Amino acid sequence: MLVVMKAQATPEEIQAVCRHIEALGFRAHPLPGAQRTAIGITGNQGEVDRGNLEEMSGVAEVIRVSKPYKLASRDVKEEDTVIRFPGTDATIGGRNLAIVAGPCAIENREQAFVIAEQVAASGAQFFRGGAYKPRTSPYAFQGLGVEALRIMAEIRERFGLRIVTEAIDNETLDLVAEWADVIQIGARNMQNFSLLKHAGRLRKPVLLKRGLSATLDEFLMAAEYIMSEGNYEVILCERGVRTFTDHSRNTLDLSIVPAVQRLSHLPILVDPSHGTGKRDKVLPMARAAIASGADGILVEVHHQPEKALSDGPQSIYPDQFARMMDEIGQIAPIVHRELPRGIHVEALAANPHDASARQ
Ligand code: PEP
Ligand code: MN
């Protein structure tokens, strides 16, 4: 159920409706839009008695949401969700493309800094790097853990990049939430419902990667798990699905971009690195992703991929990243998007030493 408030409804009227919903034993999710606020109702097993709600002051209408995902649905919020990062002009969703770049894993301080400096110089606003790695083999490099989180916090200070890193379980989730700007939930955890609910109780944006064989509905329902707990800042990420092809690691399913955008207001990024698994396919798929209307790219970059401790074969070189930025910057206006010119951080701009160090 969804309560649509009148355009001129006051904050008090919205609050009164939320209180009424909570008093009925349900959960109210006020989602402000450009025109009006809609209040999603969850926690109800069957129909909610709409009688009293419709009579309340400020209420325009009460409607049934037929889709299994409610809060992620465009029925609840028509306009695209734009996620903002206080202190910077970086956004995810909306007109500006969001670019998340960095190594698969943080291997040491020097490696992370070399890559961060180069991706920042080419205009990335977000730095990615795994601190906790979900590896197929228990003998493979598992990540530096908290040490990597500390290194990335230094990178945020130094370059103004916002930090995206993965939490692999409930224990690492609180640590990641403490240090990072965006919590990544990986493909293998897309249906880890306990982790999703835990992330939903935090107030940090969550980047949710599509499961290895997840359908569109399953993907959106996973996002709904996070939102149902009150965290509405969810970013979807297509990273390829398992198919019979053997020319690439996964099959990047770009048609999910318009499919998501039709049904949901949530932003969707594309990861051409895991989506192909091969360096020579990353740039073409990044270009195609932007042409398909994606809200941005998540890409693995390494200055010495042959020595990388994970995902070297799919990591592009920093000069290829610079080329990718140039190419997608040219495609962006054709699809009515813009590639922002790097990061603008108030704090850094005010500090000439740091500002010059970024160039
Ligand atoms: C990653 O981003 O490094 C990663 C492990 O991705 P995925 O969960 O999509 O495999
Ligand atoms: Mn990786």
Side-chain angles (χ1 to χ4, degrees):
M1 286 287 251
L2 175 66
V3 181
V4 181
M5 300 300 291
K6 291 178 181 157
Q8 65 277 19
T10 64
E12 292 72 32
E13 287 171 331
I14 295 169
Q15 266 171 30
V17 173
C18 290
R19 274 200 303 272
H20 183 76
I21 294 167
E22 306 270 346
L24 292 170
F26 308 131
R27 183 152 187 175
H29 303 267
L31 295 163
Q35 309 297 333
R36 40 83 171 160
T37 289
I39 305 169
I41 304 176
T42 61
N44 53 308
Q45 293 306 327
E47 287 274 308
V48 175
D49 178 15
R50 64 179 68 202
N52 285 339
L53 280 169
E54 263 164 355
E55 302 313 317
M56 289 187 77
S57 162
V59 172
E61 57 177 335
V62 179
I63 50 181
R64 246 190 110 236
V65 181
S66 52
K67 310 231 172 37
Y69 38 86
K70 302 175 193 310
L71 306 172
S73 156
R74 276 217 195 265
D75 294 353
V76 170
K77 184 164 175 275
E78 242 176 78
E79 58 281 349
D80 296 338
T81 285
V82 180
I83 298 171
R84 297 178 196 284
F85 295 84
T88 77
D89 52 9
T91 51
I92 303 183
R95 188 177 162 82
N96 283 346
L97 297 176
I99 308 299
V100 183
C104 180
I106 301 296
E107 298 165 8
N108 56 60
R109 194 171 179 281
E110 198 210 335
Q111 170 248 17
F113 266 72
V114 168
I115 300 168
E117 181 168 21
Q118 305 210 40
V119 299
S122 296
Q125 311 102 334
F126 298 89
F127 181 73
R128 60 145 294 149
Y132 304 96
K133 295 304 303 174
R135 302 304 298 278
T136 302
S137 164
Y139 309 118
F141 177 60
Q142 305 282 312
L144 292 183
V146 183
E147 190 187 337
L149 298 177
R150 289 211 182 89
I151 292 170
M152 286 186 281
E154 274 188 62
I155 283 174
R156 173 175 43 223
E157 281 298 304
R158 177 80 169 78
F159 302 105
L161 295 160
R162 300 295 104 172
I163 303 301
V164 181
T165 194
E166 178 170 353
I168 52 171
D169 49 30
N170 281 320
E171 293 91 78
T172 54
L173 181 57
D174 287 330
L175 271 171
V176 164
E178 201 181 303
W179 292 87
D181 299 292
V182 178
I183 303 159
Q184 179 171 318
I185 294 187
R188 289 157 193 80
N189 269 320
M190 192 205 80
Q191 284 189 319
N192 180 338
F193 301 121
S194 147
L195 187 64
L196 298 175
K197 284 199 268 188
H198 190 162
R201 291 193 283 272
L202 302 173
R203 292 295 169 266
K204 273 268 159 94
V206 177
L207 187 148
L208 177 66
K209 299 191 90 178
R210 181 181 181 186
L212 277 70
S213 62
T215 64
L216 173 59
D217 263 24
E218 289 164 346
F219 196 12
L220 292 175
M221 289 305 280
E224 187 78 15
Y225 258 95
I226 300 168
M227 300 176 83
S228 70
E229 295 290 332
N231 186 352
Y232 310 122
E233 298 201 310
V234 179
I235 303 142
L236 303 170
C237 181
E238 160 61 26
R239 47 79 72 207
V241 289
R242 185 69 66 87
T243 69
F244 53 80
T245 61
D246 53 7
H247 65 278
S248 59
R249 179 178 176 185
N250 291 296
T251 297
L252 191 66
D253 177 18
L254 288 182
S255 70
I256 203 164
V257 171
V260 160
Q261 288 169 342
R262 183 189 172 116
L263 296 174
S264 176
H265 53 87
L266 296 175
I268 177 159
L269 305 184
V270 169
D271 168 358
S273 306
H274 297 85
T276 65
K278 303 209 170 144
R279 185 174 308 121
D280 65 324
K281 297 178 177 61
V282 172
L283 263 67
M285 288 300 100
R287 295 193 297 263
I290 297 308
S292 78
D295 294 295
I297 300 285
L298 178 144
V299 64
E300 290 185 339
V301 181
H302 202 294
H303 64 310
Q304 293 175 322
E306 58 295 339
K307 293 194 188 151
L309 297 180
S310 71
D311 285 348
Q314 67 191 32
S315 300
I316 57 172
Y317 289 94
D319 65 316
Q320 290 180 302
F321 177 69
R323 205 166 86 225
M324 184 198 93
M325 293 296 272
D326 175 51
E327 291 173 356
I328 64 177
Q330 294 186 59
I331 295 168
I334 300 172
V335 286
H336 315 290
R337 306 305 275 268
E338 219 173 286
L339 185 62
R341 292 178 49 225
I343 33 169
H344 173 265
V345 182
E346 285 149 25
L348 284 186
N351 180 337
H353 174 72
D354 278 354
S356 61
R358 282 206 325 269
Q359 284 155 16

